[in-house]
Amino acid sequence: QVQLVESGGGLVQSGGSLRLSCAVSGLTLDDYAIVWFRQAPEKEREGVLCIYRSGFFTYYGDSVKGRFTISKDNAKNTVYLRMNSLKPEDTAVYYCAAGRTCSNPSSMSYWGKGTLVTVSS
C-alpha cells in the first residue's frame, strides 16, 4: 500500500551536483517525517537529513552541511535532496524512509529501494 520511490541518481564528477526525488504514495507528508539515508559499500546505513511534518529539518552529521539541502512539496507528495559540491566519499545508495519523527531514524516504518549515486574523482 505504502510506496516510496527514489529517483535522480547517476554518475557525476567530483564537484558536481544532483537532485534526488522521493515520491511517496499511500501516506501523506502532512503526517510523516522523511529521512534521507545513504549506504556506501561495506558501510552501515547512515542518516543524512530529515524533514519533519512542519517543514523543519535536521542534519544527522556535519559531513554534508553547506552542501546538501532537503525540501518537500506536500501537494506532490515528494521530498527532494539537492546535493552540491559532491565528493567521492558521497558515493552510496541513497534511500528515503518515512516515520513519525526525525528523532528515531533507526525505526522508520517505510522504506524505498534506493537510487545509486556515484561520484568520480
Side-chain angles (χ1 to χ4, degrees):
Q1 295 174 330
V2 175
Q3 290 188 333
L4 288 79
V5 181
E6 303 92 339
S7 62
L11 175 64
V12 63
Q13 287 187 311
S14 180
S17 299
L18 283 174
R19 187 195 192 196
L20 307 183
S21 297
C22 174
V24 304
S25 60
L27 61 81
T28 173
L29 296 180
D30 290 331
D31 297 329
Y32 284 85
I34 302 294
V35 181
W36 280 102
F37 293 88
R38 66 184 182 183
Q39 187 168 22
E42 299 184 359
K43 293 184 179 179
E44 293 187 351
R45 190 160 51 203
E46 171 193 22
V48 180
L49 270 162
C50 183
I51 189 163
Y52 202 48
R53 295 178 296 169
S54 65
F56 174 85
F57 63 89
T58 186
Y59 293 89
Y60 289 113
D62 295 330
S63 63
V64 304
K65 284 185 176 179
R67 300 190 298 121
F68 289 15
T69 303
I70 191 170
S71 62
K72 66 174 181 174
D73 187 331
N74 285 6
K76 296 181 178 179
N77 260 18
T78 301
V79 178
Y80 306 97
L81 182 68
R82 181 173 60 83
M83 305 182 294
N84 296 328
S85 302
L86 283 162
K87 305 174 181 179
E89 51 261 44
D90 295 318
T91 295
V93 177
Y94 284 73
Y95 303 87
C96 59
R100 289 295 184 182
T101 177
C102 294
S103 63
N104 295 307
S106 62
S107 59
M108 294 291 105
S109 297
Y110 308 103
W111 291 80
K113 293 185 177 181
T115 185
L116 177 62
V117 173
T118 303
V119 184
S120 62
S121 300

